[in-house]
Amino acid sequence: MHKQIDVTEIFGSNVFNDRVMKERLPKDTYKALKKTIQEGLPLSLDVANVVASAMKDWAIEKGATHYTHWFQPLTGRTAEKHDSFIAPTEDGTVIMEFSGKQLTQGEPDASSFPSGGLRSTFEARGYTAWDCTSPAFLKTDASENVTLCIPTAFCSYTSEALDKKTPLLRSMEAVSKQAVRVLKVLGNKTVRRVTSTVGPEQEYFLIDKACYEKRLDLIVSGRALFGAPAPKGQELEDQYFGAIKDRIADFMRDLDIELWKMGISSKTKHNEVAPSQYEMAPIFSTTNIAADHNQLVMETMQKVALRHNLVCLLHEKPFAGVNGSGKHNNWSLSTDDGQNLLEPGRTPAENEQFLIFVSAMIMAVDRHADKLRASCGNPGNDLRLGANEAPPAIISIFMGDEFTEILEGIAKGKKVENRGQHFVQVGVDSLPQLPKDNTDRNRTSPFAFTGNKFEFRMVGSSASISGPNIVINVIAAEALDEIATRLEKAGKSGLHKEATAIIRDTMKKHGRVIFNGNNYSDEWVVEAKRRGLPNIKTGVEALASMATPEAVKLFEKYKVLSKGELHARHEIYLEHYVKHVNIEARASVHMVKRQYLPTVIGFTRDLARTVSKLKSVAVSSKVQKELLGEVTELLESASEKLTVLEEAIEKAHAVKDLVKRSEAFRDKVVVAAGELRKDIDALEGLMPASLWPVPTYAEMLFKL
Ligand code: ADP
Ligand code: MG
């Protein structure tokens, strides 16, 4: 039995949050720090010294001996280097020390992080700078090690961003500035800041640790590179929202507790569509904090799983044939006076402000579909987007019938009526009437309006959410900038006419991006092509849009990424793709040479002996011979395909140009590995289960 827990007591207990700051900081210090957090004003060293000392005392009381500047390099993971608080004294003892300088600035040796040529190794220094808008927290582990973590941005000596946080913060500034302009001209004079908010739903798989340890592919690449489908997949639809098994519930409970301690508002948990697949959703927060928290969520899931003899797989497509994992990035804009700018209210047709902000998003997404696609272009996602699984690689917006009607009506100059409150008729008198959502939830759209926010569903499950949100913020900033300029020019008297004109122009130019039908259908692919919407099938291809002159102009204009920073990112992500595919391919070669082929060869040897023995006693060996023939044929084919794969790897490495090298890995290596897999999976179907050297799909997916 578990001890009863007091969630309100646990929640945020490991966070240096507002309550702790209020309690522990002198009033003046607290006020100065708050000003910095809210208005981005610089922090004086005096204030930093006081904050650092209070933070250290708090952390030590909670068992910490070390602190770390916690940052997010371009690997997509997080990084930390722990320093203890100790400082020697003259009498050979130590005291515990933590200065304002140590809090606000760090200098990790950064030579081994990807920089895309922004920094050569001889000037390897990188700097970390405290991001006080995301609260410091304590990380604890099962053996009660406690570390004070200070969220930081990471940049080079020459101030170029080497991380995911810096441009995210810059993009939040950009969208805030332009949104405030729009609100001002529409008559709202009091709003000073607009924050982009995000609630990322995280999907994941859990498998037994013992299975995991027997599979090199899972260990090195996070996905099963081989494996025939189990007799059962997800066709019975019995996993989605199914009753949660005890072992999983135990894991989820521990996960919640760990997340709550760190102030992460884990809210929803359920079984997902594929066998052994699950989801966790937090309550939304400021984008920056949501991004930090999502990193912690992924890390904590993996850590806690191990305590339960489970392994958490965050890969986008760990198992062929069943659904992969994504992250639903719910995004909106909220004002410092508490308005959600994507809230339509009860009469959306009259809500000019709402319609303007929605128009901005339609404009932004249509113009920059390629960049949104690029922001989700990691190697794992290639196996989801545009492959045999949803969401598709074509970016479109779902608005739902009512909003589409309103927008189209305005565009055509018609008077649009609000539909008023609708009720769903359940047909049973004793059940309450349910108010009908203005949007019936289309689950196939990659960018769906879901009542008061947009849900971007392309993001990969293993990816940092920073990249996608940087793009959403910056493209929204550009559209809002354009709209603000038009409205400002129109002046007070022409304001409403111009607002209508903006909606009309948006629908005319960008209405093509709205699609309310089934995005998974073949007809949509044809229709999207007719509309001129891009269908970018692979990450490598999509990433090219990050480095175009048009992208440089956009990101530089809103001071989110410089040309150098963009080019560096393009290079780093391509390199990441190459390395990732290379690891997978080498794991395939390794497993085939050292596990599958020897097993099959042993089997054919025994089978051949059986055949000759049966012959010597004049008994029929028809069945054995047939099997031997089939297995041998596949064995020979697999062996040939292995050679093809090995040659493809070698050739791809020899390609000098990075883009071409990535293409070689995508078009040759991935394809060759896929071909090899077909034979191995076919062999798995013919061989005795007792001889198969690795756990099967059925064992991995159905035995928990
Ligand atoms: P589902 O999409 O699974 O039906 P919900 O609509 O309740 O679930 O919410 C999904 C996620 O969207 C949650 O993380 C929620 O906090 C988040 N969300 C809700 N409102 C906003 C908002 N204004 N901005 C960003 N995220 C939001
Ligand atoms: Mg959702």
Side-chain angles (χ1 to χ4, degrees):
M1 269 292 276
H2 289 297
K3 241 186 14 235
Q4 198 186 343
I5 51 166
D6 182 347
V7 180
T8 57
E9 193 64 30
I10 289 177
F11 192 87
S13 57
N14 282 344
V15 185
F16 195 72
N17 56 21
D18 199 57
R19 194 173 78 183
V20 181
M21 290 195 281
K22 238 188 230 148
E23 260 169 34
R24 290 176 174 255
L25 295 176
K27 249 200 184 119
D28 291 351
T29 312
Y30 173 76
K31 267 198 194 144
L33 181 59
K34 277 302 260 196
K35 230 175 158 58
T36 299
I37 294 171
Q38 280 161 356
E39 295 167 30
L41 297 177
L43 199 68
S44 76
L45 194 59
D46 287 345
V47 174
N49 277 330
V50 179
V51 177
S53 167
M55 209 185 259
K56 175 206 66 184
D57 291 344
W58 169 79
I60 289 175
E61 279 166 38
K62 298 222 162 232
T65 50
H66 289 68
Y67 73 93
T68 180
H69 274 198
W70 183 75
F71 59 104
Q72 297 166 35
L74 293 166
T75 54
R77 300 268 91 71
T78 58
E80 49 191 71
K81 184 184 76 172
H82 298 197
D83 275 305
S84 70
F85 294 116
I86 63 165
T89 60
E90 277 175 8
D91 63 4
T93 59
V94 293
I95 53 165
M96 300 299 255
E97 231 177 44
F98 188 47
S99 68
K101 177 130 191 302
Q102 285 168 316
L103 165 65
T104 52
Q105 217 191 77
E107 217 179 287
D109 173 16
S111 52
S112 294
F113 293 110
S115 77
L118 281 178
R119 176 177 39 65
S120 32
T121 27
F122 65 83
E123 49 180 35
R125 257 190 289 180
Y127 291 89
T128 48
W130 182 30
D131 164 25
C132 60
T133 62
S134 180
F137 59 94
L138 300 173
K139 250 200 225 178
T140 55
D141 63 19
S143 1
E144 315 263 313
N145 292 306
V146 184
T147 307
L148 170 65
C149 296
I150 296 144
T152 53
F154 178 47
C155 61
S156 74
Y157 181 64
T158 45
S159 293
E160 273 134 339
L162 296 172
D163 70 345
K164 305 232 169 198
K165 187 190 267 287
T166 308
L168 184 63
L169 290 170
R170 293 175 184 160
S171 76
M172 289 172 70
E173 280 300 318
V175 74
S176 174
K177 195 164 151 201
Q178 303 306 332
V180 168
R181 269 181 73 205
V182 170
L183 290 172
K184 272 224 166 82
V185 67
L186 287 177
N188 185 328
K189 306 285 183 217
T190 53
V191 169
R192 289 168 65 196
R193 263 196 91 78
V194 169
T195 316
S196 66
T197 53
V198 166
E201 303 165 48
Q202 176 73 48
E203 294 180 340
Y204 60 99
F205 280 82
L206 289 174
I207 64 165
D208 196 274
K209 186 160 164 259
C211 282
Y212 172 87
E213 283 171 345
K214 289 187 194 126
R215 295 204 54 140
L216 180 71
D217 47 2
L218 291 179
I219 293 172
V220 301
S221 78
R223 81 173 170 111
L225 299 167
F226 299 96
K232 181 184 176 201
Q234 60 193 43
E235 62 276 48
L236 295 182
E237 295 170 339
D238 52 352
Q239 163 79 359
Y240 190 57
F241 284 9
I244 300 170
K245 289 184 179 162
D246 285 2
R247 186 167 175 201
I248 305 302
D250 273 354
F251 158 81
M252 288 176 167
R253 177 194 149 91
D254 272 2
L255 175 66
D256 276 341
I257 292 174
E258 291 304 326
L259 295 178
W260 288 335
K261 281 200 247 169
M262 291 187 286
I264 299 170
S265 53
S266 172
K267 174 84 174 160
T268 311
K269 49 191 180 184
H270 62 81
N271 287 1
E272 253 303 327
V273 169
S276 286
Q277 192 188 25
Y278 310 92
E279 182 181 300
M280 188 291 286
I283 297 172
F284 72 95
S285 57
T286 307
T287 305
N288 176 36
I289 293 177
D292 283 359
H293 281 181
N294 184 251
Q295 292 288 356
L296 289 171
V297 163
M298 292 193 283
E299 183 184 314
T300 310
M301 280 177 168
Q302 294 185 306
K303 231 158 91 170
V304 173
L306 289 174
R307 292 184 205 161
H308 292 258
N309 277 320
L310 296 166
V311 171
C312 171
L313 300 176
L314 294 167
H315 194 281
E316 283 74 16
K317 190 77 178 175
F319 303 104
V322 296
N323 270 25
S325 297
K327 224 169 314 219
H328 290 177
N329 189 86
N330 296 272
W331 180 94
S332 190
L333 290 173
S334 97
T335 64
D336 54 2
D337 62 2
Q339 281 184 73
N340 175 356
L341 294 174
L342 293 176
E343 174 62 58
R346 292 173 71 87
T347 51
E350 287 145 32
N351 189 341
E352 191 172 67
Q353 182 182 301
F354 164 74
L355 292 170
I356 284 290
F357 276 90
V358 165
S359 298
M361 292 317 290
I362 294 170
M363 208 186 276
V365 171
D366 185 45
R367 272 189 193 145
H368 301 294
D370 57 346
K371 290 158 208 78
L372 282 169
R373 170 66 183 87
S375 75
C376 303
N378 70 358
N381 239 354
D382 268 13
L383 302 162
R384 268 174 87 223
L385 308 179
N388 26 21
E389 202 195 309
I394 306 162
I395 301 230
S396 65
I397 298 187
F398 169 83
M399 280 307 307
D401 292 339
E402 178 172 7
F403 292 116
T404 309
E405 251 170 53
I406 292 172
L407 291 164
E408 277 174 351
I410 295 172
K412 287 184 189 132
K414 277 197 249 161
K415 177 146 178 42
V416 191
E417 302 282 338
N418 285 301
R419 282 193 184 175
Q421 183 84 300
H422 293 262
F423 290 95
V424 178
Q425 296 304 325
V426 189
V428 179
D429 286 343
S430 59
L431 291 177
Q433 279 202 319
L434 305 170
K436 195 172 166 187
D437 248 318
N438 284 330
T439 55
D440 54 14
R441 302 175 165 241
N442 178 321
R443 290 279 165 197
T444 65
S445 176
F447 207 94
F449 184 70
T450 50
N452 59 2
K453 60 190 185 286
F454 280 100
E455 186 168 334
F456 186 30
R457 303 194 176 114
M458 263 190 186
V459 185
S461 50
S462 72
S464 154
I465 58 166
S466 293
N469 287 301
I470 290 167
V471 173
I472 298 176
N473 287 344
V474 76
I475 66 178
E478 184 198 49
L480 291 168
D481 181 5
E482 190 179 312
I483 289 172
T485 305
R486 279 182 69 170
L487 293 173
E488 284 160 5
K489 265 199 199 134
K492 231 183 182 156
S493 57
L495 192 70
H496 298 298
K497 221 171 130 210
E498 188 61 13
T500 308
I502 288 168
I503 297 168
R504 190 184 55 227
D505 294 348
T506 302
M507 288 305 282
K508 226 192 221 152
K509 269 199 228 150
H510 306 292
R512 63 176 190 165
V513 80
I514 299 176
F515 179 65
N516 296 331
N518 178 6
N519 292 69
Y520 297 179
S521 69
D522 295 336
E523 294 84 58
W524 170 233
V525 179
V526 179
E527 168 65 14
K529 193 166 177 199
R530 196 190 59 74
R531 294 190 191 184
L533 301 177
N535 182 0
I536 308 171
K537 290 250 168 71
T538 67
V540 170
E541 195 186 339
L543 283 173
S545 68
M546 294 293 290
T548 58
E550 185 227 348
V552 171
K553 214 172 128 203
L554 170 75
F555 284 94
E556 287 205 322
K557 180 164 184 198
Y558 296 97
K559 301 191 169 57
V560 173
L561 287 166
S562 68
K563 184 176 176 183
E565 288 169 333
L566 264 179
H567 282 270
R569 266 152 226 259
H570 181 225
E571 193 181 311
I572 289 165
Y573 298 151
L574 285 179
E575 261 169 12
H576 176 75
Y577 177 83
V578 164
K579 286 175 189 164
H580 195 90
V581 174
N582 182 49
I583 290 170
E584 284 191 350
R586 285 174 55 187
S588 292
V589 169
H590 201 95
M591 286 172 78
V592 171
K593 274 192 176 161
R594 305 191 55 208
Q595 293 187 288
Y596 295 124
L597 292 192
T599 304
V600 179
I601 288 168
F603 177 61
T604 53
R605 180 195 59 220
D606 292 347
L607 206 52
R609 280 187 193 144
T610 311
V611 170
S612 70
K613 269 194 190 142
L614 288 172
K615 205 170 164 194
S616 68
V617 293
V619 172
S620 163
S621 60
K622 182 167 169 280
V623 174
Q624 289 83 346
K625 260 185 170 154
E626 257 174 37
L627 182 58
L628 184 57
E630 259 182 282
V631 171
T632 307
E633 203 176 302
L634 281 169
L635 176 65
E636 281 172 0
S637 168
S639 164
E640 276 163 28
K641 288 179 182 173
L642 177 66
T643 312
V644 173
L645 175 59
E646 287 186 291
E647 282 171 8
I649 299 172
E650 209 170 300
K651 268 198 198 144
H653 273 302
V655 179
K656 282 235 160 60
D657 177 72
L658 178 57
V659 174
K660 295 220 165 75
R661 184 156 74 242
S662 318
E663 287 165 356
F665 270 93
R666 179 192 63 191
D667 299 335
K668 299 287 194 277
V669 177
V670 170
V671 173
E675 284 300 316
L676 177 57
R677 174 179 187 155
K678 282 185 197 160
D679 286 344
I680 301 297
D681 290 359
L683 282 164
E684 186 187 329
L686 294 175
M687 297 268 301
S690 60
L691 293 183
W692 204 241
V694 297
T696 62
Y697 265 41
E699 283 165 303
M700 289 187 285
L701 292 174
F702 292 102
K703 280 212 165 163
L704 281 189

